Amino acid sequence: MKENKLFYHPRDREIEFFEKAYKLSWPLLLKGPTGCGKSRFVQYMAEKVGRPLIEVACHEETSATDLVGRYILKGGETFWQDGPLVKALRDGAILYLDEVAEAREDIIVALHPVLDHRRTLFIDKTRETLHASPGFMIVASYNPHYQSHLKELKPSTKQRFMALSFDYPREDDEVEIVHKESGLEKTQVEKLVRFSAKVRSLDHLDLRETVSTRLIIAAAALIKEGAPRRASVDCGIIQALTDESETVEALREAAALYF
Ligand SMILES: Nc1ncnc2c1ncn2[C@@H]1O[C@H](COP(=O)(O)OP(=O)(O)OP(=O)(O)O)[C@@H](O)[C@H]1O
Ligand SMILES: [Mg+2]
């Protein structure tokens, strides 16, 4: 295990559990809302276990070909080009499938043989059977509370993973993270974090997603750059959260109590 260059502030025992899953070659699912630190955690852990990281942002159009690979035509000849899954299997890399629930079912089914003890992929286009190189691991993320698509992972997929639940950090941890990421002094960061905790507790606002750590960092970075505090909260947090003018007003009123 190497010293990490990337900053990651742990919230629980996730580092230990990632290391165990890695050692066991078990796929790992990270569940949690947007901007709470899932990607940062995976980047940090890839560095820590010393494996390359290959990230794939999954969406409705992502096909099995995008993941496995395709033949491409170059100078009148055809070449096989590995997709990220095959590359990760060959190189013993960590494959991070971001928003895996957004992917089409054919992708998920294609993944099953590499997700269980077989750790093998049959590439039908090249007739190749590929065994995972040591170090290969699949990490996937998904957001169980995301309301826009009522997509769920099938139990047969979900149960091939060990899963860690992420949420926004506790207030003192979040102050550390925002301070470190933005460089803004802690007394100022504390106000932003307290305001954000207040917004998170307001159920009646009807926000699709609430204030993420990422948004707090945005506001903190603006203040650190010398922008006025209320305007920074408006630009960094409130306007990014909602387009409803009534909600904007309610959030501005709440912010006025802190800034
Ligand atoms: N525990 C943490 N340690 C260090 N930085 C963190 C931590 N949690 C959040 N961050 C900061 O918050 C930002 C957003 O986190 P990240 O991109 O990892 O979120 P995410 O959960 O992957 O979100 P999404 O679901 O939208 O992809 C990071 O770039 C980092 O600056
Ligand atoms: Mg992410």
Side-chain angles (χ1 to χ4, degrees):
M1 304 274 165
K2 298 193 303 185
E3 261 307 292
N4 275 84
K5 285 198 214 84
L6 193 66
F7 165 68
Y8 178 74
H9 184 89
R11 64 200 64 212
D12 198 4
R13 297 173 69 181
E14 69 272 24
I15 294 179
E16 178 190 337
F17 276 85
F18 187 108
E19 283 172 339
K20 292 197 192 311
Y22 172 75
K23 208 168 143 194
L24 294 164
S25 302
W26 212 282
L28 185 65
L29 186 64
L30 309 178
K31 310 194 281 184
T34 185
C36 72
K38 302 181 296 296
S39 294
R40 173 61 66 93
F41 174 61
V42 178
Q43 287 155 7
Y44 174 87
M45 290 310 300
E47 198 183 305
K48 194 167 171 61
V49 301
R51 298 310 311 166
L53 178 67
I54 300 177
E55 299 186 51
V56 179
C58 300
H59 52 83
E60 290 154 33
E61 303 296 316
T62 316
S63 66
T65 306
D66 292 328
L67 223 54
V68 174
R70 54 169 57 84
Y71 280 108
I72 52 164
L73 195 64
K74 207 173 173 185
E77 282 189 79
T78 49
F79 293 91
W80 171 257
Q81 191 175 54
D82 286 345
L85 170 62
V86 169
K87 192 166 166 23
L89 280 160
R90 288 196 211 278
D91 298 351
I94 293 175
L95 180 70
Y96 182 43
L97 301 172
D98 208 355
E99 296 288 352
V100 68
E102 298 292 319
R104 286 192 339 220
E105 200 131 313
D106 62 318
I107 287 223
I108 309 281
V109 172
L111 283 173
H112 277 192
V114 286
L115 285 173
D116 56 34
H117 64 277
R118 290 170 281 177
R119 286 168 65 78
T120 297
L121 182 74
F122 176 67
I123 313 172
D124 59 355
K125 286 191 185 128
T126 60
R127 318 292 304 163
E128 184 185 2
T129 301
L130 197 62
H131 295 277
S133 298
F136 170 76
M137 178 183 186
I138 289 192
V139 182
S141 79
Y142 101 115
N143 184 344
H145 306 298
Y146 194 43
Q147 293 298 309
S148 79
H149 304 85
L150 291 171
K151 286 190 177 166
E152 249 283 26
L153 280 178
K154 287 200 304 186
S156 61
T157 305
K158 221 190 255 179
Q159 293 196 19
R160 283 175 157 80
F161 289 88
M162 293 175 173
L164 288 172
S165 174
F166 276 62
D167 206 341
Y168 303 117
R170 286 183 302 270
E171 280 189 35
D172 49 343
D173 288 335
E174 199 159 40
V175 169
E176 284 299 325
I177 293 166
V178 176
H179 167 64
K180 191 88 191 227
E181 290 289 290
S182 66
L184 185 66
E185 55 163 315
K186 280 196 186 166
T187 47
Q188 304 256 23
V189 172
E190 275 162 12
K191 285 189 185 159
L192 287 171
V193 167
R194 259 187 266 129
F195 163 68
S196 304
K198 178 72 189 168
V199 176
R200 287 171 187 161
S201 73
L202 300 174
D203 302 333
H204 63 271
L205 281 181
D206 226 17
L207 296 167
R208 269 170 68 188
E209 290 261 325
T210 190
V211 188
S212 64
T213 308
R214 180 186 290 132
L215 288 188
I216 309 177
I217 294 168
L222 286 169
I223 298 172
K224 172 77 182 160
E225 282 297 309
R229 291 187 304 170
R230 273 200 207 176
S232 299
V233 171
D234 207 69
C235 171
I237 298 179
I238 297 175
Q239 297 295 344
L241 271 183
T242 180
D243 306 319
E244 298 290 331
S245 53
E246 275 176 29
T247 314
V248 167
E249 275 320 308
L251 289 169
R252 281 181 180 159
E253 275 172 32
L257 301 173
Y258 295 84
F259 305 100

